[in-house]
Amino acid sequence: MRSAFTFLGLLLASTLLAQNTFSCGMTKADTKILEKRLLRYKVQLKNGLVESRTETSFIPIVFYLIANDKGLGRVKESEVLDQLCQLNEDFISQNIQFFIKNLKYIDDGTLYENHYDGRDRLRQERDNGALNIFIVKDANNDSSLEDGTTLGYYDPQRDWLVIRKDQVNGDSIVLTHEIGHFFGLLHPYNGWDFEPWKEAVHGNPAPTRSPSGVATELMDGSNCERSGDFLCDTPPDYFFSFGSEDCNHTTNVLDPVGVQVDPDELNYMANFLNGCERNDYFFSGEQIEIMSMNVQDPDRSYLRNDFTPTDSGVPKIPILETPSNESTVATFNLVSFEWSEIEGATQYLFEIDRVRSFNVQPIRKVTEDPFLELSNLEAKRQYYWRVRSFNAYETCTEFSSPVSFRTGERLDTTQFQQIEQLKIFPNPTSAQNTLTVELATQRNFSATILIYDIVGRLVLEYETLISPAERFIELDINRLSTGIYIIKAITEEQEVVKQFVVAD
């Protein structure tokens, strides 16, 4: 059982929930782990043992896009990009920002439907240098209440997050909440996590001790250091979000000394999900201090990195070039797509479908190149395609407007190899010359050029884009000594090898 949003009832497609009938299913043991961390941070802050952090910490994330055994059902890449954009807005005031270390695809029906039985596989997949977020269809674990649904949870013992795919987007606060747990935060209603306040059970005024034994927090803040979430700028909450239908929650609940309790519905960690404006949610000042301490904790050293965002800003919308709008291509089993290369973009999300909504039978691909080829389209059909540019940090981008085209009926039987011929000249050459490499082709593709010396040591590596119009590469070999060298041109489909000589 882990820190989790557990919802009882039916989820509605158009809203988060009609009613917040949910419970957080974190075990007492896991709660104690977070409590111990948080209290340690508070002691360190009180004793002035930690300097305030002013520089932005960039946190690498690996998103695991999990599908069933046939590769179906996984979350859309565009939703992941929207989610990262929103996360960076949510955490900007904390000097915490996130970037994509990797989008990892896993086709495993067990993980997709019932990940809790596949935790050994998750452990094998886990990246030890990043925040790991596993995105699945069903996030239920052994904390899930009967007839309940878990939307997401943080596992402090395995130090990863599991999120339901319908909660990965730019609107839900679920992932922001769970990352709050990742950075050491408790619920404001800590102590009532497993048993929300009910007058018939707990009485009114509330008892001095919560069901879990933590002191019940008072409205006047006199016991805030030793009750609830142990923070004094988050008001008392006895898990009032359970059963609350909207953000404007009113209660007649009295604290143990008879003062009416007024929770803060807009705190990310309070779980009020309905009726609140998305941009109004916040972390309190003390919560931000705790998260800053967690980022600096030696236990978080595995997140340290030298990542620096590009200074080119948010990548622009690509211009779609080929196929052009309302055009017809001659073939159907090999169709080339090209779009403008965008400054600051390191990857492109390509989508194609038979409808403009891209939600019937979409094909989605992420590529580093401003082009790709598809060989699985149908003959004489209308298609729509679009492209979205992004990089590891800048994902607040938009798709291009869809472009439509029709496939032809001709079967492409040539199936050209990417590299039809590799030529190098002059050969022999000298270290004072530039070595010219020609990759003859009738297709667009990316290639890696590797040069090895005679004993197999790699002495030069070069990444390039090749097309029929741009097939010549000039390599500077002035660092090479005399001798025999092997040059390899490697693509996703093939490897071509030649030998050349550097003479005196």
Side-chain angles (χ1 to χ4, degrees):
M1 294 190 285
R2 301 291 180 254
S3 165
F5 289 96
T6 303
F7 292 83
L8 307 179
L10 297 176
L11 293 173
L12 301 181
S14 60
T15 62
L16 280 173
L17 285 174
Q19 185 180 18
N20 279 348
T21 50
F22 66 92
S23 171
C24 189
M26 187 161 52
T27 66
K28 292 182 180 180
D30 288 344
T31 301
K32 292 301 180 183
I33 293 175
L34 297 187
E35 286 181 358
K36 185 177 180 180
R37 288 178 188 169
L38 189 148
L39 292 173
R40 172 164 55 89
Y41 296 154
K42 291 193 65 173
V43 170
Q44 292 173 345
L45 284 169
K46 184 177 181 179
N47 294 334
L49 299 178
V50 177
E51 296 181 3
S52 61
R53 183 176 57 89
T54 58
E55 294 185 355
T56 298
S57 297
F58 291 95
I59 308 299
I61 295 180
V62 175
F63 289 101
Y64 297 83
L65 286 64
I66 300 176
N68 65 17
D69 292 335
K70 296 181 179 180
L72 302 177
R74 79 176 85 251
V75 67
K76 298 177 182 178
E77 290 89 347
S78 59
E79 299 283 15
V80 175
L81 301 183
D82 292 344
Q83 177 71 85
L84 184 66
C85 176
Q86 187 60 59
L87 283 178
N88 283 331
E89 290 186 25
D90 293 344
F91 285 88
I92 187 67
S93 62
Q94 292 83 271
N95 290 330
I96 296 173
Q97 295 286 270
F98 305 91
F99 67 93
I100 299 173
K101 182 178 181 180
N102 195 9
L103 297 177
K104 193 164 185 179
Y105 297 83
I106 300 175
D107 296 345
D108 186 312
T110 297
L111 296 183
Y112 182 65
E113 297 282 354
N114 184 16
H115 77 283
Y116 202 64
D117 288 343
R119 284 170 293 166
D120 288 342
R121 171 78 188 276
L122 297 185
R123 188 180 293 108
Q124 294 171 3
E125 295 287 348
R126 184 184 187 277
D127 187 312
N128 292 325
L131 165 56
N132 293 263
I133 301 176
F134 297 95
I135 307 172
V136 295
K137 177 185 178 182
D138 189 345
N140 281 359
N141 57 13
D142 64 359
S143 73
S144 302
L145 300 179
E146 185 178 356
D147 299 324
T149 300
T150 302
L151 295 186
Y153 67 90
Y154 168 54
D155 184 331
Q157 299 185 60
R158 297 173 179 83
D159 204 31
W160 66 44
L161 301 180
V162 176
I163 301 293
R164 251 174 76 115
K165 70 172 187 176
D166 57 8
Q167 296 306 305
V168 176
N169 52 62
D171 297 320
S172 173
I173 70 164
V174 172
L175 188 53
T176 300
H177 174 107
E178 297 303 340
I179 290 178
H181 287 311
F182 176 82
F183 287 131
L185 299 183
L186 294 161
H187 297 121
Y189 52 85
N190 182 46
W192 298 87
D193 307 63
F194 318 105
E195 190 177 321
W197 178 89
K198 292 181 181 179
E199 184 170 6
V201 177
H202 307 104
N204 197 12
T208 58
R209 290 282 170 182
S210 68
S212 294
V214 179
T216 300
E217 189 170 2
L218 303 176
M219 275 300 297
D220 64 8
S222 59
N223 69 341
C224 60
E225 295 279 357
R226 61 183 187 278
S227 64
D229 62 359
F230 310 118
L231 304 179
C232 291
D233 61 353
T234 55
D237 186 342
Y238 309 155
F239 204 173
F240 298 126
S241 59
F242 186 89
S244 178
E245 295 185 3
D246 57 50
C247 189
N248 299 315
H249 179 75
T250 58
T251 176
N252 294 319
V253 182
L254 304 179
D255 72 9
V257 297
V259 179
Q260 185 172 344
V261 179
D262 184 17
D264 194 334
E265 299 92 340
L266 292 173
N267 191 282
Y268 279 117
M269 305 308 294
N271 291 2
F272 285 91
L273 301 180
N274 290 334
C276 301
E277 292 294 330
R278 179 63 178 79
N279 293 332
D280 290 341
Y281 288 101
F282 70 99
F283 290 107
S284 73
E286 289 188 50
Q287 286 176 329
I288 291 173
E289 283 186 329
I290 295 301
M291 288 191 287
S292 179
M293 291 284 294
N294 186 274
V295 170
Q296 299 176 76
D297 195 313
D299 290 343
R300 290 284 187 236
S301 61
Y302 70 89
L303 296 176
R304 313 278 196 269
N305 61 85
D306 58 359
F307 176 81
T308 302
T310 176
D311 59 4
S312 60
V314 179
K316 297 180 180 179
I317 298 175
I319 298 173
L320 307 189
E321 297 174 351
T322 303
S324 59
N325 196 33
E326 298 183 355
S327 64
T328 299
V329 297
T331 62
F332 66 91
N333 68 319
L334 188 61
V335 179
S336 297
F337 299 84
E338 297 184 34
W339 54 89
S340 59
E341 187 170 6
I342 301 299
E343 180 183 5
T346 57
Q347 291 179 294
Y348 303 91
L349 172 57
F350 170 93
E351 292 190 349
I352 185 171
D353 202 347
R354 295 284 310 284
V355 296
R356 291 180 66 92
S357 59
F358 296 89
N359 61 2
V360 176
Q361 290 182 314
I363 298 172
R364 301 185 178 96
K365 292 182 178 293
V366 175
T367 175
E368 296 178 355
D369 304 320
F371 55 80
L372 57 75
E373 292 179 336
L374 292 181
S375 58
N376 56 344
L377 302 183
E378 298 179 22
K380 301 176 68 174
R381 296 285 192 178
Q382 183 176 34
Y383 285 92
Y384 296 86
W385 69 289
R386 62 183 181 180
V387 177
R388 177 175 176 175
S389 61
F390 65 99
N391 60 44
Y393 174 64
E394 297 287 359
T395 63
C396 302
T397 55
E398 297 180 6
F399 276 105
S400 61
S401 296
V403 162
S404 67
F405 71 98
R406 288 188 66 84
T407 54
E409 57 183 336
R410 196 177 77 202
L411 180 68
D412 188 295
T413 58
T414 56
Q415 296 293 323
F416 300 117
Q417 286 190 316
Q418 288 181 324
I419 301 175
E420 297 180 359
Q421 189 175 33
L422 169 63
K423 296 181 180 179
I424 50 178
F425 49 88
N427 188 17
T429 185
S430 71
Q432 286 70 45
N433 287 337
T434 296
L435 185 69
T436 299
V437 179
E438 180 184 4
L439 299 175
T441 183
Q442 298 186 53
R443 298 170 59 183
N444 298 328
F445 60 94
S446 59
T448 301
I449 307 300
L450 304 174
I451 294 180
Y452 297 87
D453 63 18
I454 194 63
V455 296
R457 291 175 297 193
L458 180 65
V459 296
L460 188 147
E461 181 174 356
Y462 184 79
E463 303 284 342
T464 187
L465 302 177
I466 301 297
S467 69
E470 299 289 341
R471 65 182 189 273
F472 293 99
I473 305 167
E474 302 293 330
L475 297 180
D476 182 0
I477 59 171
N478 59 18
R479 292 180 297 172
L480 301 186
S481 57
T482 58
I484 300 173
Y485 291 87
I486 303 297
I487 184 169
K488 290 184 180 181
I490 301 174
T491 75
E492 62 181 7
E493 295 181 2
Q494 64 186 131
E495 179 178 309
V496 183
V497 180
K498 287 283 187 180
Q499 181 175 289
F500 69 96
V501 176
V502 176
D504 292 333

